[in-house]
Each structure stands twice: as structure tokens, then as C-alpha cells.
């Protein structure tokens, strides 16, 4: 009222708008922005290509994502940032299964099989400890989704070993067989190499238990 639409469209030093701030759960703010500035204000990307949909997915706000889809179309839910990540990648990273179910419902299996600019899938993101996400991927996309390698040949098993997540490795072995635990990347490294690199003795013990001394 006092400063005009400029007050509602201002971006900070990183390119984040009011819509980015409101994406953390403030649907009423997003509704106001849509009314005053148009739906385009809800899809503006920041300096890293991150949109409000990415933020909503990262924070686990299905209600925000639903509003964005209603206002801007389902394509808003598949936007990619500067690293090729979709909102689903961030939801997987933070373990928001409900968000992933909503994205799959709105956008189909493509939402769950998308890879970023380096070839990393949702399974790579979830390998940091989000077993429930991996379980969802196996149910919706098949166990093959859990062994896809990125551009460097790194699989989710490599990531789980590097981050020290035995529970993830156990799940991968159950779903994909022990051979998933012996996958080699583009440099010939197995998950055990990465576990050793980061000092995860418990991971090495598990790998030896599953694969024998060959691990």
C-alpha cells in the first residue's frame, strides 16, 4: 500500500524473494503474493536456481507444494536448480516421504527417477541415512533404482559407506543383493574404500560380514 508491488517483489543479496521465505509453510503469504504480483512471483529462482518449490520440499511442506502446483502448474514441482536438482532431490535428502509421495502423485514416476547434473538420483541423496525414502523408491520404481551410478560411477552404497550408515547398507543388500555392496566406481573404489577413508569401522565390519574378506 505504501511502497507498491516493489515491496513484495524485492530480492535479497542471494536472489531470494518473499516467496522463498514463505515457502517454509506460510501459504497465506504465498496467496497474497499471487494475488498482488501474479503467479510468476511464486516460481522466481534465486542465484543458485533454487525456487520456492525447492524450499518447500526441503522443509517438508506438502501444503505449500500443493498451492504452488495449483497456482503455477505441475511443472513448478519439477524445476531444476543450478545443480540440476529437483524439489524431489531435496525432499529425499531430508527424508520427507510424504513430500515424495505427493510429487510422484502429481508428476508421475519421473519425479522419483530424476538425476541431477552429476547423475545423482534420489537414492544417492537418501543414502545419507533416509531408509524410508529408499524403501519408497524400491516400492515405486523397483530395486534397480537403488543401484544407479552417477557420472563418476558412485552408487548409493558408496554414499552410505562414506557417511557411515550401516542401516542403509543393510537395506541395500536386502533389496539388491550383496553385489551392491561390492560395486566399483569410475576409479575402481568399492564402498569399503570409502568407509576406510572416513574411518567407519562398523561399516567395514558389516561389509566383511556380508561379502567376506574380499570386501
Amino acid at each position: 500500500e505504501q511502497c507498491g508491488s516493489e515491496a513484495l517483489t524485492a530480492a535479497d543479496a542471494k536472489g531470494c524473494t518473499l516467496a522463498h521465505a514463505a515457502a517454509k509453510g506460510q501459504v497465506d503469504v504465498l496467496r497474497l503474493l499471487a494475488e498482488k504480483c501474479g503467479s510468476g512471483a511464486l516460481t522466481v529462482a534465486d542465484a543458485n536456481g533454487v525456487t520456492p518449490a525447492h524450499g518447500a520440499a526441503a522443509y517438508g511442506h506438502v501444503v505449500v507444494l500443493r498451492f504452488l502446483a495449483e497456482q503455477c502448474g505441475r511443472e513448478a514441482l519439477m524445476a531444476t536448480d543450478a545443480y540440476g536438482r529437483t524439489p524431489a532431490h531435496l525432499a529425499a535428502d531430508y527424508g520427507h516421504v510424504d513430500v515424495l509421495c505427493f510429487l510422484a502423485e502429481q508428476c508421475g514416476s519421473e519425479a522419483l527417477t530424476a538425476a541431477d547434473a552429476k547423475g545423482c538420483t534420489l537414492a544417492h541423496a537418501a543414502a545419507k541415512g533416509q531408509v524410508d525414502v529408499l524403501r519408497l523408491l524400491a516400492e515405486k520404481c523397483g530395486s534397480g533404482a537403488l543401484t544407479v551410478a552417477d557420472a563418476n560411477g558412485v552408487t548409493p552404497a558408496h554414499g552410505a559407506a562414506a557417511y557411515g550408515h550401516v542401516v542403509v547398507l543393510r537395506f541395500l543388500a536386502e533389496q539388491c543383493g550383496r553385489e551392491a555392496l561390492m560395486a566399483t566406481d569410475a576409479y575402481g573404489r568399492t564402498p569399503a574404500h570409502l568407509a576406510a577413508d572416513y574411518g567407519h569401522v562398523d561399516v567395514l565390519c558389516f561389509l566383511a560380514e556380508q561379502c567376506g574378506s574380499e570386501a
Side-chain angles (χ1 to χ4, degrees), residues 48-167:
N48 289 312
V50 173
T51 67
H54 286 92
Y59 284 95
H61 292 297
V62 172
V63 65
V64 171
L65 290 166
R66 181 173 287 110
F67 180 76
L68 292 175
E70 293 170 353
Q71 294 293 313
C72 311
R74 295 179 182 179
E75 57 269 26
L77 306 181
M78 290 296 290
T80 55
D81 65 13
Y83 307 99
R85 298 175 303 181
T86 64
H89 282 94
L90 301 188
D93 199 16
Y94 291 99
H96 300 308
V97 173
D98 55 339
V99 168
L100 292 173
C101 287
F102 173 74
L103 292 173
E105 172 191 307
Q106 295 293 309
C107 306
S109 61
E110 181 184 356
L112 302 182
T113 57
D116 68 15
K118 294 184 177 180
C120 292
T121 65
L122 274 62
H124 287 91
K128 298 172 185 176
Q130 310 298 349
V131 175
D132 287 343
V133 171
L134 293 170
R135 185 172 291 110
L136 174 69
L137 294 175
E139 292 173 357
K140 299 289 188 180
C141 308
S143 60
L146 308 183
T147 59
V148 174
D150 69 11
N152 289 312
V154 173
T155 68
H158 286 93
Y163 283 95
H165 292 297
V166 172
V167 65

Side-chain angles (χ1 to χ4, degrees), residues 166 169-175 177-182 202-215:
V166 172
L169 290 166
R170 180 174 289 111
F171 181 76
L172 292 175
E174 292 170 354
Q175 294 293 312
R178 295 180 182 179
E179 56 269 25
L181 306 180
M182 291 296 292
D202 55 338
V203 169
L204 291 171
C205 288
F206 173 75
L207 292 173
E209 172 191 306
Q210 294 293 307
C211 307
S213 60
E214 182 183 356

